[in-house]
């Protein structure tokens, strides 16, 4: 492979594995790889590029438990497919009148979440 910038080319190098960054194939293979992720959870999920968002309306204790189970399922999926979430980049946004339940993603507690009280 080689790179072209304006009218200049780099030297050729041999690439034996992986998909080159910036390749059209990269996003397609990533989407195929994560295609089954929504089947692992009960809640609503949004997949946008390489971001994953899950959400649930919490009205009773059962909802809190189900949400934590979904977070645990996400961690199980990552173990199954050897693709870890970057938990340092994970955020939680809670829009609530009350409630202090903390959630856990792969051993990291949600105390770092952003809270907006209404």
């Amino acid at each position: 492979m080689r790179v072209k910038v304006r009218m200049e080319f780099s030297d050729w190098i041999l690439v034996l594995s992986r998909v080159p960054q910036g390749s059209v194939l990269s996003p397609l293979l990533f989407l195929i790889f994560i295609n089954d992720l929504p089947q692992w959870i009960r809640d609503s999920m949004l997949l946008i590029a390489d971001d994953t968002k899950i959400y649930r309306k919490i009205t009773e204790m059962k909802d809190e438990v189900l949400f934590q189970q979904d977070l645990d399922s996400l961690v199980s999926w990552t173990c199954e497919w050897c693709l870890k979430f970057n938990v340092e980049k994970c955020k939680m946004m809670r829009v609530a009148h009350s409630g202090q339940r903390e959630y856990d993603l792969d051993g990291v507690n949600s105390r770092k979440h952003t809270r907006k009280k209404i």
Side-chain angles (χ1 to χ4, degrees):
M1 101 179 236
R2 69 181 178 169
V3 177
K4 177 183 176 189
V5 177
R6 296 189 181 95
M7 295 306 293
E8 306 252 344
F9 288 91
S10 67
D11 293 334
W12 284 97
I13 61 168
L14 184 60
V15 178
L16 300 175
S17 65
R18 308 202 184 208
V19 178
Q21 185 175 357
S23 162
V24 174
L25 193 54
S26 294
L28 177 63
L29 291 176
F30 181 75
L31 290 173
I32 291 169
F33 188 76
I34 66 166
N35 189 50
D36 73 327
L37 183 56
Q39 298 168 13
W40 285 66
I41 67 163
R42 291 182 193 93
D43 287 327
S44 298
M45 172 181 265
L46 293 173
L47 296 171
I48 303 165
D50 62 348
D51 289 334
T52 304
K53 298 180 186 342
I54 66 170
Y55 54 95
R56 172 180 276 280
K57 182 177 181 178
I58 307 293
T59 57
E60 57 187 5
M61 180 70 119
K62 179 181 95 175
D63 295 324
E64 294 178 352
V65 171
L66 291 172
F67 188 70
Q68 182 60 58
Q69 287 174 354
D70 282 341
L71 290 172
D72 295 340
S73 292
L74 289 177
V75 172
S76 296
W77 181 89
T78 65
C79 292
E80 175 83 19
W81 294 107
C82 300
L83 180 69
K84 297 289 183 185
F85 285 107
N86 185 344
V87 292
E88 293 301 316
K89 287 182 162 183
C90 292
K91 305 288 183 218
M92 173 184 239
M93 181 176 149
R94 183 184 314 223
V95 179
H97 293 284
S98 63
Q100 298 297 320
R101 173 95 155 80
E102 300 295 333
Y103 297 98
D104 180 81
L105 180 64
D106 202 15
V108 176
N109 196 280
S110 66
R111 288 189 184 126
K112 295 180 180 178
H113 71 271
T114 303
R115 171 175 283 202
K116 179 180 180 182
K117 283 210 166 200
I118 59 169

